[in-house]
């Protein structure tokens, strides 16, 4: 089953209870507006995307102040992105919904993040940056989501060859009080970024910090350990690099990767 199909099925089942509630409301109240959107919703669930698209477009034209407009915009974006594979049109639909929607922060952040990711995928990095910046202005963002956004924003700036802005974003996150797991994640990303920028001394300190914290998630410690071993290899500190790789056997689920790293280390040290 394709990703697009799995995605749409997921949306369909997630909205099934809402569909049934809407149908019940129609029977009880004779609500023409609700009946209109329920018909489009039903077509979407049944995989009749052309009918769903027409239904949602008609709804947006007919009800300029309708209570289901956000749903209509998002489902039209789903059809555009996952059925028609039209990312540029999808972004326009998402951004159009934001122009008229001043609702709850959760919905706004969901739409902004989706649009920012699509702009990044299209290599429209400056436009993506504007969307990421708007996201970070939302005070009610959950801490974990804020960290995700900062790191994606930084990656987008790296793709645009704006290393200074990427570093500033991750440094700012690292200076913010965070839950321990999130703090370890940000420290790791900052270490990897400094390593990429050739700042080996600062990178090594951060990588050692994450690697040494036994209460950090194993996956983060393992990533830090692999990066640290690579850095030590470059510094010709082969013995310590070997020790770190050996220690990762209890943290990393694939021993073959560790064996290959050790063999490469041995080969390069000869």
């Amino acid at each position: 089953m394709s990703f697009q199909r799995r995605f749409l099925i997921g949306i369909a089942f997630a909205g099934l209870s809402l569909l049934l509630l809407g149908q019940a409301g129609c029977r009880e109240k004779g609500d023409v507006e609700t009946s209109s959107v329920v018909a489009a919703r039903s077509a979407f669930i049944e995989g009749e995307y052309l009918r769903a698209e027409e239904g949602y477009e008609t709804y947006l034209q007919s009800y300029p102040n309708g209570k289901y407009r956000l749903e209509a915009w998002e489902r039209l974006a789903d059809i555009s992105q996952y059925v028609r594979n039209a990312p540029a049109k999808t972004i326009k639909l998402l951004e159009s919904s934001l122009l008229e929607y001043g609702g709850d922060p959760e919905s706004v952040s969901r739409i902004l993040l989706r649009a920012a990711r699509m702009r990044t995928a299209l290599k429209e990095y400056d436009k993506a940056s504007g969307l990421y910046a708007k996201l970070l202005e939302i005070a009610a963002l959950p801490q974990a989501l804020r960290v995700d956004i900062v790191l994606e924003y930084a990656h987008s700036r790296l793709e645009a060859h704006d290393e200074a802005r990427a570093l500033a974003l991750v440094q700012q996150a690292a200076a913010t009080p965070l839950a321990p797991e999130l703090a370890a994640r940000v420290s790791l990303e900052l270490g990897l970024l400094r390593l990429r920028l050739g700042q080996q001394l600062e990178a090594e300190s951060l990588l050692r910090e994450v690697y040494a914290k036994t209460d950090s998630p194993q996956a983060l410690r393992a990533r830090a350990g692999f990066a640290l071993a690579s850095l030590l290899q470059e510094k010709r500190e082969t013995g310590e690099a070997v020790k770190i790789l050996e220690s990762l056997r209890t943290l990393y689920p694939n021993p073959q990767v560790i064996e290959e790293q050790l063999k490469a280390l041995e080969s390069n040290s000869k």
Side-chain angles (χ1 to χ4, degrees), residues 78-93:
D78 290 336
I79 294 168
S80 176
Q81 181 177 358
Y82 297 105
V83 179
R84 302 199 181 283
N85 192 27
K89 180 181 178 182
T90 305
I91 291 169
K92 288 182 180 179
L93 287 164

Side-chain angles (χ1 to χ4, degrees), residues 38-196:
V38 163
R41 200 183 294 159
S42 177
F44 185 89
I45 289 174
E46 293 167 5
E48 297 183 13
Y49 301 119
L50 178 59
R51 184 161 64 89
E53 187 175 47
E54 291 173 347
Y56 280 123
E57 287 174 347
T58 299
Y59 174 82
L60 288 173
Q61 293 167 5
S62 302
Y63 299 96
N65 299 307
K67 54 188 175 182
Y68 302 108
R69 289 185 66 82
L70 180 62
E71 175 189 339
W73 283 116
E74 289 195 276
R75 293 297 78 78
L76 286 172
D78 290 336
I79 294 168
S80 176
Q81 181 177 358
Y82 297 105
V83 179
R84 302 199 181 283
N85 192 27
K89 180 181 178 182
T90 305
I91 291 169
K92 288 182 180 179
L93 287 164
L94 293 170
E95 293 179 352
S96 294
S97 73
L98 288 168
L99 290 174
E100 69 172 53
Y101 186 70
D104 63 285
E106 181 180 353
S107 298
V108 172
S109 62
R110 181 178 68 248
I111 297 168
L112 276 171
L113 184 55
R114 183 175 175 184
R117 286 170 172 169
M118 295 192 72
R119 289 285 189 195
T120 298
L122 291 175
K123 299 184 179 182
E124 297 175 349
Y125 301 119
D126 290 339
K127 291 181 178 179
S129 291
L131 295 169
Y132 281 122
K134 285 183 181 180
L135 271 164
L136 294 177
E137 292 173 0
I138 301 174
L141 286 176
Q143 193 176 67
L145 179 58
R146 184 172 294 274
V147 167
D148 286 343
I149 291 165
V150 167
L151 296 181
E152 288 188 27
Y153 188 1
H155 175 74
S156 179
R157 294 321 303 160
L158 278 178
E159 292 295 315
H161 306 291
D162 184 3
E163 290 84 0
R165 180 57 176 153
L167 183 59
L169 284 163
V170 185
Q171 283 180 309
Q172 184 178 4
T176 304
L178 295 171
E181 182 174 336
L182 294 175
R185 182 181 171 202
V186 171
S187 293
L188 172 60
E189 295 298 335
L190 182 56
L192 294 173
L193 178 55
R194 287 194 178 278
L195 189 61
R196 174 171 174 167

Side-chain angles (χ1 to χ4, degrees), residues 21-41:
L21 287 172
Q23 290 173 329
C26 289
R27 286 194 296 268
E28 293 174 6
K29 301 177 183 179
D31 185 337
V32 177
E33 179 189 350
T34 301
S35 178
S36 172
V37 83
V38 163
R41 200 183 294 159

